[in-house]
């Protein structure tokens, strides 16, 4: 094992809209990069000097055009991706939950990277091809994104 390689830190944002879409989360399909074709949550890389909440707020705005200011850390996964793009990848993904009460501003801001955002039942995710960190979270029987 190389001591020079370090895991990346990713933030996955579990966006819920309980009054309109109960037990649903916001997902889109990846069109590029590792995990192509899998469904993902909004999110991205934690930047140097950024808090988890700042990263979640920035990534949510950049990808969905939604603005939220309250985020809660609800889950963590440790994912080692298989050999893709010529190299293996290791991510620690922090799942931050936020709730919206209006999605009228929702828009796919990066159509070259992912499909349109859709509200999808959490239980339906088990039957879909998922980006690996989200798959781990969905398959964790001890994790319910709607608790707390």
């Amino acid at each position: 094992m190389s001591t020079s390689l370090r895991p990346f830190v990713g933030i996955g944002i579990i966006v819920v809209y309980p009054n309109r879409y109960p037990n649903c989360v916001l997902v889109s399909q990846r069109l590029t990069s590792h995990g192509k074709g899998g469904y993902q949550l909004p999110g991205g890389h934690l930047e140097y000097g950024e808090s988890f909440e700042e990263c979640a707020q920035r990534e949510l705005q950049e990808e969905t055009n939604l603005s939220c200011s309250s985020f809660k850390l609800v889950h963590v996964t440790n994912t080692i991706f298989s050999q893709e793009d010529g190299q293996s990848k290791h991510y620690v993904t922090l799942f931050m939950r936020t709730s919206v009460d209006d999605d009228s501003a929702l828009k796919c801001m990066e159509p070259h990277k992912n499909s349109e955002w859709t509200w999808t039942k959490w239980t339906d995710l088990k039957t879909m091809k998922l980006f690996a960190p989200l798959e781990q979270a969905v398959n964790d029987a001890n994790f319910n994104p709607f608790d707390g």
Side-chain angles (χ1 to χ4, degrees):
M1 181 175 291
S2 173
T3 58
S4 63
L5 296 177
R6 300 279 188 254
F8 294 100
V9 178
I11 301 287
I13 307 150
I14 297 172
V15 184
V16 298
Y17 191 170
N19 294 335
R20 187 164 181 201
Y21 302 104
N23 301 311
C24 290
V25 297
L26 199 57
V27 296
S28 73
Q29 192 171 29
R30 295 174 70 89
L31 302 178
T32 61
S33 191
H34 63 285
K36 182 177 179 178
Y39 283 84
Q40 66 178 358
L41 301 169
H45 292 105
L46 181 70
E47 301 292 337
Y48 184 81
E50 207 172 34
S51 71
F52 304 152
E53 294 81 5
E54 289 167 339
C55 179
Q57 188 173 33
R58 175 182 55 78
E59 289 287 354
L60 186 64
Q61 178 72 43
E62 287 175 2
E63 295 183 5
T64 70
N65 200 42
L66 295 175
S67 294
C68 293
S69 58
S70 178
F71 296 88
K72 180 180 179 182
L73 177 63
V74 293
H75 196 65
V76 178
T77 59
N78 184 34
T79 310
I80 300 172
F81 291 87
S82 61
Q83 199 75 2
E84 293 181 21
D85 303 324
Q87 62 181 358
S88 61
K89 295 179 179 174
H90 182 181
Y91 276 84
V92 173
T93 303
L94 308 168
F95 290 86
M96 307 291 289
R97 186 181 60 230
T98 191
S99 182
V100 298
D101 56 14
D102 179 12
D103 68 349
S104 59
L106 179 62
K107 180 180 178 182
C108 179
M109 301 298 287
E110 299 175 318
H112 58 288
K113 291 184 178 179
N114 56 272
S115 66
E116 291 295 321
W117 295 100
T118 60
W119 294 102
T120 304
K121 292 266 187 203
W122 182 260
T123 53
D124 291 349
L125 294 178
K126 288 184 179 281
T127 66
M128 299 165 65
K129 179 181 177 186
L130 302 176
F131 186 50
L134 178 56
E135 182 178 25
Q136 283 180 294
V138 167
N139 290 328
D140 183 341
N142 296 315
F143 175 56
N144 181 340
F146 308 103
D147 281 350

